[in-house]
Amino acid sequence: MTQPPQPPDQPGFGPPPEPEPSRPEKPSQPEQPQQGPAAPQAQPGFGPPPEPEPSRPEQPQAQPGFGPPPEPAQPPAQQPPSAPGGPDLSKTPEPGYGYPQAPQPPQQSPQAAPQTPPPAAPVPGGPQTPPGYGYPQQPPAGYGYPGQPQPGQPGAYGQPQQPYGQQPYGQPYGYPHPTVPMQPHPGQPGGGRKGNATLAIIVAAVVAIGLIVGAGVWYSSAGGDDEKKNTANSGDGGGTKGAEGDGSGGATTGGDEKVPADPSAKVLFQVPSPKVPKDTTTIVTSGSWMTDKVYAKSGVAEVVGYDAAKGSELWTLDLPGPVCEASDHVTEDGRTAIIYKPKMPTKTDPQSCTQVAAFDLATGEKLWSETAKTGTQEISFNNVTISGNTVAAASTSGGAAWDITSGKALWAPKTSDSCYDSGYGGGPKMVAVRKCGSYEQRQLHIQTIDPKDGKVLSEYKMAEGIEYAAVVSTDPLVVAADVGDSAGDGSGISDFFSIDNKSGELRTRISAPGEEFAARCDGITRIEHCSGLAVGKDRLYIATEEHEGTGDGYSRTNEVVAFDLSTGKQTGQRADAGDGYTIVPLRMDGDNVIAYKRPPYDKGGQVVSIDGGSFKETKLMENPAEKSVRDVEARMLPQHAEILYAQGRLYMSDVYASELSSGDKEYLAIAFGTG
């Protein structure tokens, strides 16, 4: 897990370079609320607003062209072989209780003569790599953040994350939310794992290529032969004849996903990036969903539904302002929910995220739009989710719940002078993260609630002092937290808590040191948004951090390992990404894990199914290896892009639209398909 990058000085790439505040130090006195007048305590469902939460930044937009290193003109010099990293699974798995180990001492400066590093102490479940190699304290050139936090909504801390466990195929899929990109920062001693001079040269070359490529190249979707579909250009999006069927060769992975006769993928279509309003540098475009017929994606003050195979526009839901947040969950009849602003923001009037709406993915019809108040002031919501037919939204100033069909108000969280619901996790069950106590004496209550009336069914009280928690899964119930700010990398995770839904009792606690594992959770405002993990079969599947591979000196790789949620111990299973690849779990498919493999510089990305029992990997898709295709795919970093896969189709999209000074054309989404 890595530290969030800081904004660059380079203009023209990514959102504007505003500084990102770090997680705030705990004040000696409780912070004062920033919301408007509080409601009287007697008012049902609302109360005085608690102290404000630290804010999070808007998500960064990936630098065009930044990704795996380009093909060298001559073979690179061979580096001394390094011992492959990864969890030491020959050891007996140790209990999941405990805290992250002390950080390892940094390795000598990369400028020093190569020496064999001293062996690092083995850590259960993590890569057995020498200490000192890690991720950037400062970002590579070209990354940035959007503008200042807006009044009435979360500001700048943490990153939106990517939830998993979408509904089975045949029902719409939710989108995984992104996180801060995890790129190596070469030559920086003491930043994590060991520095590498070769890596510094490669990354520098990549940045240079990224500047030459500019804002990126995308694919032609015009009808024609396969060569056109696999060639990048700056043409506008449009329909092509893509994978009409499921591309199945007849076999299945053991879940709902079928194994295609040929996993080779082609570009189906792309969506041009929308223009942002005048005097606006960045607009949020969070939100993407898929069904068997529709791929829907948020744009600038709109949501557009596209034909899932051809990319032709099916419908457009116009909104008065941009989307702020979107639920990744979808009802059985294809409905979901978003939060948006009532007007387009300006520099003098940024607007707040006060509007909650539900719409139909099949038709784009807005079913309803509602607000909620605390006292006389409309609430600016931080998160929204769905469980059953209930839409629930929350913030530091209160929350509310509505029927997804009619918009009828169902319930509001009970608030008091000392407690409030900070957010909800949805899906199979609804779980509230309720904050009680002052800032210095915070206690989080993890409550399983009835989505129909908000009644508390069970409750687990976390230890005092834990400020933030994220809902990784609601069934089985798994919560992630950074206990004592011990993760030290901005990931929001030092430990996972496996909780019994019925009794509210803690089943086990799993230590997940930040230097070992690559998962991230927000937990501050977007309670259920996590990435780099999946939960199913009463197990937690989590990606390890990148480490040196067994190939060339700059080869990187990682693994997916599993923890038993009843014992907290590792199961001993491991799925290797392979040299040059890094693997990221996307979601569950029955008992199996669907994962995306970010490719090396000379390959296309892959989607694989990991068998939940044997951990055998089955390739479901491999993207074209042409350089033009690789250049674009490299921009969609799994840690912050929205990535959806089902039945032979892969959709990758950005979460921001921005004004680029380079003048090069940008694209919002790309679709691949087999068959």
Side-chain angles (χ1 to χ4, degrees):
M1 289 179 271
T2 58
Q3 197 165 26
Q6 302 299 314
D9 295 328
Q10 177 185 349
F13 288 89
E18 297 292 345
E20 175 190 10
S22 58
R23 185 183 295 267
E25 296 291 335
K26 298 180 182 178
S28 57
Q29 297 296 330
E31 297 181 6
Q32 297 301 316
Q34 62 182 3
Q35 293 290 339
Q41 187 166 349
Q43 179 180 345
F46 301 102
E51 67 277 354
E53 294 299 306
S55 55
R56 59 177 175 83
E58 302 285 357
Q59 301 162 358
Q61 182 166 343
Q63 174 182 338
F66 194 91
E71 299 184 41
Q74 296 180 354
Q78 295 296 320
Q79 301 294 325
S82 301
D88 184 359
L89 298 178
S90 62
K91 296 183 59 179
T92 302
E94 297 185 10
Y97 284 82
Y99 292 88
Q101 299 187 3
Q104 302 289 346
Q107 193 179 351
Q108 67 181 41
S109 170
Q111 285 75 18
Q115 295 181 6
T116 303
V123 181
Q128 304 303 310
T129 55
Y133 195 96
Y135 293 97
Q137 301 300 317
Q138 296 181 357
Y143 280 81
Y145 285 88
Q148 295 281 359
Q150 299 173 356
Q153 71 175 118
Y157 183 83
Q159 290 292 324
Q161 311 294 326
Q162 158 174 324
Y164 297 92
Q166 289 97 328
Q167 302 184 23
Y169 189 74
Q171 299 174 6
Y173 286 73
Y175 70 91
H177 279 260
T179 60
V180 179
M182 297 185 286
Q183 295 289 345
H185 188 64
Q188 180 169 329
R193 261 72 65 194
K194 61 184 178 180
N196 186 305
T198 301
L199 184 59
I201 296 171
I202 295 299
V203 172
V206 171
V207 173
I209 294 298
L211 297 178
I212 295 172
V213 172
V217 287
W218 283 80
Y219 312 104
S220 168
S221 64
D225 57 18
D226 294 348
E227 181 65 25
K228 291 183 179 179
K229 293 180 181 179
N230 294 335
T231 302
N233 61 26
S234 58
D236 290 337
T240 69
K241 186 175 181 179
E244 298 290 348
D246 58 21
S248 172
T252 67
T253 61
D256 291 329
E257 295 298 335
K258 296 180 180 180
V259 182
D262 181 1
S264 299
K266 301 173 184 177
V267 177
L268 299 180
F269 63 90
Q270 74 282 330
V271 179
S273 183
K275 293 182 179 180
V276 299
K278 185 179 179 181
D279 298 327
T280 302
T281 55
T282 304
I283 289 289
V284 175
T285 58
S286 291
S288 60
W289 308 263
M290 65 180 298
T291 71
D292 56 346
K293 296 181 179 179
V294 176
Y295 170 68
K297 172 64 185 169
S298 296
V300 174
E302 66 179 8
V303 180
V304 181
Y306 303 91
D307 183 282
K310 301 176 182 179
S312 53
E313 291 190 15
L314 301 177
W315 51 259
T316 299
L317 170 60
D318 291 318
L319 301 168
V323 174
C324 303
E325 302 292 343
S327 174
D328 59 290
H329 302 293
V330 180
T331 63
E332 292 183 356
D333 56 355
R335 297 174 177 182
T336 191
I338 55 175
I339 301 171
Y340 64 94
K341 296 183 178 183
K343 296 179 181 179
M344 291 301 296
T346 64
K347 291 182 178 179
T348 57
D349 187 12
Q351 294 293 310
S352 296
C353 301
T354 57
Q355 313 295 307
V356 180
F359 67 95
D360 191 312
L361 283 171
T363 64
E365 176 189 2
K366 183 195 290 186
L367 304 175
W368 51 264
S369 181
E370 297 290 343
T371 62
K373 292 183 178 181
T374 173
T376 59
Q377 185 175 4
E378 288 186 343
I379 296 173
S380 182
F381 293 104
N382 297 332
N383 54 77
V384 62
T385 194
I386 297 172
S387 182
N389 287 317
T390 298
V391 176
S395 76
T396 58
S397 301
W402 301 268
D403 180 87
I404 196 168
T405 302
S406 65
K408 176 184 176 182
L410 297 179
W411 49 268
K414 296 178 180 179
T415 59
S416 66
D417 290 336
S418 59
C419 293
Y420 67 97
D421 287 4
S422 63
Y424 304 100
K429 297 183 183 295
M430 184 164 283
V431 173
V433 176
R434 188 168 177 83
K435 292 193 174 186
C436 295
S438 65
Y439 191 88
E440 290 185 319
Q441 295 179 319
R442 180 81 72 207
Q443 185 175 47
L444 302 182
H445 299 185
I446 309 302
Q447 300 176 333
T448 299
I449 59 180
D450 188 330
K452 295 180 180 179
D453 56 17
K455 179 181 178 182
V456 177
L457 304 177
S458 67
E459 179 178 70
Y460 169 70
K461 296 181 180 180
M462 303 186 77
E464 286 191 10
I466 300 176
E467 292 289 339
Y468 311 103
V471 179
V472 178
S473 169
T474 61
D475 189 20
L477 178 52
V478 180
V479 171
D482 187 357
V483 179
D485 295 330
S486 57
D489 61 353
S491 66
I493 305 172
S494 67
D495 297 81
F496 292 95
F497 297 79
S498 175
I499 302 168
D500 187 283
N501 277 103
K502 295 182 179 180
S503 67
E505 295 180 356
L506 180 67
R507 299 173 66 197
T508 190
R509 177 172 167 177
I510 300 170
S511 176
E515 67 271 16
E516 303 294 331
F517 299 101
R520 303 183 63 86
C521 286
D522 188 322
I524 296 176
T525 58
R526 310 176 79 185
I527 300 301
E528 63 178 344
H529 295 168
C530 297
S531 67
L533 49 73
V535 173
K537 200 180 178 180
D538 209 34
R539 291 177 181 173
L540 168 67
Y541 301 94
I542 183 169
T544 67
E545 282 282 14
E546 293 182 19
H547 55 81
E548 287 187 353
T550 57
D552 294 332
Y554 55 80
S555 174
R556 308 290 294 168
T557 190
N558 76 327
E559 300 79 30
V560 170
V561 296
F563 287 88
D564 188 308
L565 291 175
S566 63
T567 66
K569 297 180 180 180
Q570 282 198 44
T571 64
Q573 298 164 306
R574 181 179 75 178
D576 295 311
D579 269 341
Y581 290 89
T582 53
I583 188 169
V584 180
L586 296 180
R587 62 175 177 86
M588 298 301 298
D589 174 37
D591 289 343
N592 302 334
V593 181
I594 302 299
Y596 171 75
K597 285 187 176 183
R598 183 168 170 80
Y601 69 92
D602 58 349
K603 304 287 185 182
Q606 297 179 1
V607 176
V608 298
S609 175
I610 304 172
D611 187 275
S614 66
F615 252 50
K616 177 183 177 182
E617 296 180 34
T618 301
K619 187 189 299 183
L620 301 178
M621 172 179 283
E622 182 164 15
N623 292 337
E626 285 86 351
K627 184 179 184 301
S628 58
V629 176
R630 300 198 314 265
D631 287 345
V632 179
E633 186 172 4
R635 296 166 50 200
M636 297 293 184
L637 299 176
Q639 293 82 9
H640 73 97
E642 297 172 347
I643 302 179
L644 305 176
Y645 175 85
Q647 297 301 330
R649 292 174 187 152
L650 174 68
Y651 303 90
M652 307 177 79
S653 64
D654 208 342
V655 294
Y656 282 96
S658 64
E659 181 183 40
L660 297 178
S661 61
S662 67
D664 291 327
K665 194 163 188 176
E666 283 283 342
Y667 286 85
L668 185 64
I670 182 71
F672 298 93
T674 57

